[in-house]
Amino acid sequence: MIKRIAVLAMHTSPLEQPGTGDAGGMNVYVAQTSRHLAANGVEVEVFTRANAPDLPPAVEMVPGVTVRHVPAGPPELDKNDLPTRIAEFASGVVAAGQGSFDAVHSHYWLAGQAGVRAKRAWRTPLVHTAHTLAKVKNAALAEGERPEPKARVVGEEELAAAADRLVVNTEIEAAQVRGLYRARPEQVLTIPPGVDLDCFTPGDRAAARAELGLPLDAVVPAFVGRIQPLKAPDVLLRATAELLARTPSLRERMVTLVVGGPSGTGLDQPELLQRLAVELGIADVVRFLAPRSGAALAQVYRAADVIAVPSHSESFGLVALEAQACGTPVAATAVGGLPVAVADGVSGLLLPDHRTERWADALAGIALDPARRAAMSAAAVRHAARFSWERTTEGLLAAYADAARTEVGACPCSS
Ligand code: UDP
C-alpha cells in the first residue's frame, strides 16, 4: 500500500504558471498527478529548487500535497547553470525529507540526478519520468537551436541504468529509452498523461469569442504554449500568410492567436515572431496573448477553429489533448507523442513536416470547412476522453507499488 511519495522537480515548480519560462507540461503533470495522489489518500511532498527570493520553505498546494522550496544556488539562475547545482539540491532534498517514503518520483534529468542520491540515502525505490530526452531532442533541432549538452546525455544514460522504473508517455518513447538509452524492458512502464476533463470541456464558442473580443464569423487558428524555436510557432504565421495570399478576402475576418510567453533559449522569440508577422505583412492579423490557465485557457481553445502544434519534437503534447477536450481539432506535426495525442484524419490532422503550403492546406481544411470541422470537433472530444489524470495516477500508483516490490535499478551508489 502506497502511503507517502517524494516528488522531485528541481528546475520548475508545480506552483508556477505554465506556458512561459521553464514551466510547461511537466508542471501540469506534477501538479495534476500530485493532486490526484492526494485524493487517493497518498501524502505527497514535492521538492523544487527555491527559484525566487523570499519563498517560504513549505507551501500547502492542496490538502495532502506540500511543496518544499529547497535552496540551491542564487534564486535566479539560468537553466544552463542548473547542472552545477544538482549536488546542492540533492543534499537539500535529502535533509528536508523527513520520515520515510514509499518511493521517490523524479521529473526531468536534473531532478533525476537528485533522485539517485535520495534513493541511496533513504533506501527508497526510484521512479523517473524524463519528459523529454536529449538524444531525441538533438536529432530534431530547430534551425539555429543549441543542442542539449553532453552532461544531460550522460545524466540520462546514468538514470536509465539507475532508476527502478522509467515512466514514459507512449510506446514510441518506450522504444526510445530501450533503444537509445539501453533501458531494460522490466524498467520501462508506459503510462499516458492525462487531461483535466472537468476544466477542458466543449462550451459556447460564441461566448468564448465574445470574451476574447473575437467576431463570431472570424477564422481563428491558434498556437498555445511556450514560445520557443522547438515549438515552431513561426510555422503558423507562415501558413497564415499563405492563406491570405491565396484568398485575400480572408484578411477581414482572420485572427491568428499566439498564446504563451518567452522560454528557454528563445527568450527573444516573441519579438522575433512579432517581427516575422511584420515581414510577412500579417501584423494586423496576428494577436499575441499572455499565458493563462484553467477556465481562461479553455476559452481560448473553444474560441479557436483549429489549434496548431507544429513542434519539432514533443514528448507528448498536452495542449493537443486539452484543445480536443474542448472540441477543437488539432493540426500537429507527426513527432513524438503527437500521433497518440491526435487521431489523424479523425480528431485533427498530422503533418510530416513544416512545409508552409501543407500547413496552409491543413488549417484551411479544418477551419474553412464547417461540416468537416464539426465532425472532427465531436471526434476530438471522444478522443480526449480516453485520457484522464485519474487514469495516469492509477498507473503511477501501480508503478510505485511495482518498484517497491522489486527494485531493478542498478543504482551505482547503493552499495
Ligand atoms: N499552458 C498554460 N497556459 C498557457 C500556455 C500553456 O497553462 O498560456 C499549459 C498548457 O495548458 C499545457 C502546458 O502548458 O498543459 C504545455 O504542455 P505541453 O505538453 O503542450 O508542452 P510542454 O510545455 O511540456 O513542452
Side-chain angles (χ1 to χ4, degrees):
M1 178 85 173
I2 301 298
K3 293 213 174 77
R4 204 158 172 261
I5 295 294
V7 174
L8 273 49
M10 179 180 171
H11 72 293
T12 172
S13 159
L15 300 174
E16 278 162 30
Q17 165 70 57
T20 189
D22 287 332
M26 187 188 119
N27 302 63
V28 173
Y29 188 110
V30 170
Q32 289 286 352
T33 54
S34 296
R35 260 192 207 110
H36 284 89
L37 284 169
N40 278 275
V42 178
E43 192 187 332
V44 180
E45 302 253 325
V46 182
F47 298 86
T48 188
R49 199 184 75 88
N51 63 1
D54 305 325
L55 285 174
V59 175
E60 185 184 68
M61 192 173 95
V62 293
V65 180
T66 304
V67 176
R68 298 203 180 277
H69 295 121
V70 178
E76 279 171 25
L77 203 56
D78 191 287
K79 196 175 177 190
N80 296 321
D81 295 328
L82 284 171
T84 63
R85 300 292 175 172
I86 290 171
E88 211 173 329
F89 177 72
S91 301
V93 168
V94 168
Q98 301 296 320
S100 60
F101 294 102
D102 296 302
V104 184
H105 188 170
S106 54
H107 294 267
Y108 196 64
W109 78 278
L110 294 166
Q113 309 301 308
V116 174
R117 281 275 305 276
K119 169 180 164 64
R120 179 188 59 175
W122 295 337
R123 300 188 174 282
T124 305
L126 172 65
V127 175
H128 178 70
T129 302
H131 293 277
T132 60
L133 296 164
K135 289 184 185 179
V136 175
K137 226 172 152 179
N138 284 348
L141 290 176
E143 206 186 308
E145 205 186 1
R146 242 186 290 157
E148 291 298 310
K150 181 82 180 150
R152 176 174 174 187
V153 173
V154 172
E156 287 181 349
E157 282 172 347
E158 282 171 4
L159 265 165
D164 296 295
R165 294 294 181 283
L166 295 163
V167 171
V168 297
N169 289 329
T170 61
E171 291 303 331
I172 305 154
E173 197 185 343
Q176 288 165 341
V177 292
R178 285 193 305 260
L180 299 172
Y181 289 90
R182 299 214 213 126
R184 283 155 287 133
E186 66 273 23
Q187 278 177 295
V188 185
L189 294 173
T190 303
I191 303 173
V195 56
D196 183 346
L197 294 170
D198 294 325
C199 171
F200 298 111
T201 58
D204 183 346
R205 185 144 74 132
R209 288 199 167 188
E211 205 174 299
L212 289 162
L214 297 168
L216 196 51
D217 69 343
V219 175
V220 185
F223 167 91
V224 173
R226 291 181 285 154
I227 300 178
Q228 51 177 214
L230 181 84
K231 297 274 180 188
D234 58 297
V235 172
L236 174 60
L237 265 52
R238 291 182 211 284
T240 299
E242 170 74 15
L243 285 177
L244 293 178
R246 285 182 193 174
T247 317
S249 61
L250 259 185
R251 185 173 285 272
E252 278 135 51
R253 55 191 193 101
M254 185 134 183
V255 183
T256 295
L257 296 179
V258 177
V259 184
S263 167
T265 49
L267 286 178
D268 54 352
Q269 283 295 299
E271 292 73 39
L272 289 180
L273 217 51
Q274 275 158 356
R275 217 180 301 154
L276 179 65
V278 173
E279 278 163 27
L280 293 168
I282 56 166
D284 54 324
V285 167
V286 184
R287 209 175 285 178
F288 291 88
L289 300 178
R292 57 207 60 214
S293 279
L297 184 57
Q299 289 293 67
V300 169
Y301 292 133
R302 290 179 195 127
D305 288 304
V306 53
I307 297 291
V309 185
S311 311
H312 288 273
S313 71
E314 193 73 70
S315 79
F316 195 80
L318 294 183
V319 160
L321 274 192
E322 293 162 2
Q324 291 171 92
C326 290
T328 303
V330 174
T333 25
V335 296
L338 286 166
V340 177
V342 178
D344 189 23
V346 180
S347 68
L349 294 172
L350 290 173
L351 290 93
D353 56 32
H354 286 123
R355 270 179 41 202
T356 301
E357 304 76 43
R358 233 195 262 280
W359 275 84
D361 289 345
L363 297 179
I366 298 172
L368 301 179
D369 183 343
R372 189 176 187 220
R373 188 192 178 277
M376 280 191 165
S377 167
V381 175
R382 286 194 297 274
H383 183 66
R386 295 170 50 215
F387 301 84
S388 74
W389 291 116
E390 285 82 356
R391 232 161 288 159
T392 306
T393 306
E394 275 168 30
L396 291 182
L397 278 168
Y400 301 150
D402 199 27
R405 252 192 318 270
T406 45
E407 292 188 37
V408 296
C411 180
C413 37
S414 60
S415 55

